[in-house]
Amino acid sequence: QVQVVESGGGLVQAGGSLRLSCVASGRIRNINEMGWYRQTPGKQRELVATITIDGRTNYADSLKGRFTITGDSPKNTVYLQMNNLEPEDIGVYYCNVNALSTTGWTNTWGRGTQVTVSS
């Protein structure tokens, strides 16, 4: 009922920047929250940042100051601006959407986008 597609990943040198995008589509009545999570090598999936429909944000403490999440509600889109990237940021970045669809509340994951940082 809800589809989530991420884009914007790629290869960047250490110290560089990337901007990820996530678009939610389908039979959406209302989006409560969208967020970014990542899975780095050898670790479990972890929170990066989330943003609610009214603009409240939440960040992983270790990423505050380098990563910024913003949203475009009319477009059901969320962005993640990542600055001063480090090799430790390498991983797959996933978007999660908590939304009310025509069949009820859903929690949907995208397939992820790969971020690679060269040292």
Side-chain angles (χ1 to χ4, degrees):
Q1 297 294 333
V2 177
Q3 294 81 45
V4 177
V5 178
E6 306 99 333
S7 62
L11 172 64
V12 64
Q13 289 187 333
S17 299
L18 282 175
R19 188 193 194 205
L20 306 183
S21 299
C22 168
V23 180
S25 62
R27 299 182 177 183
I28 298 172
R29 289 182 173 175
N30 186 35
I31 291 179
N32 176 53
E33 182 179 273
M34 298 179 73
W36 289 98
Y37 296 76
R38 71 182 185 181
Q39 188 159 14
T40 56
K43 295 184 179 180
Q44 292 185 334
R45 193 175 298 188
E46 62 180 358
L47 168 73
V48 175
T50 60
I51 186 167
T52 63
I53 190 65
D54 56 356
R56 287 178 288 120
T57 58
N58 180 46
Y59 291 90
D61 287 341
S62 62
L63 301 177
K64 287 180 180 178
R66 292 196 299 124
F67 289 13
T68 303
I69 189 169
T70 56
D72 186 340
S73 296
K75 295 182 179 180
N76 291 340
T77 300
V78 65
Y79 306 97
L80 184 69
Q81 178 67 41
M82 306 186 294
N83 297 327
N84 195 22
L85 283 161
E86 305 168 351
E88 290 73 23
D89 296 317
I90 291 172
V92 180
Y93 285 68
Y94 297 91
C95 181
N96 179 268
V97 177
N98 180 249
L100 177 63
S101 73
T102 55
T103 57
W105 284 100
T106 63
N107 205 43
T108 307
W109 292 93
R111 293 185 176 183
T113 185
Q114 175 72 43
V115 171
T116 303
V117 183
S118 63
S119 56

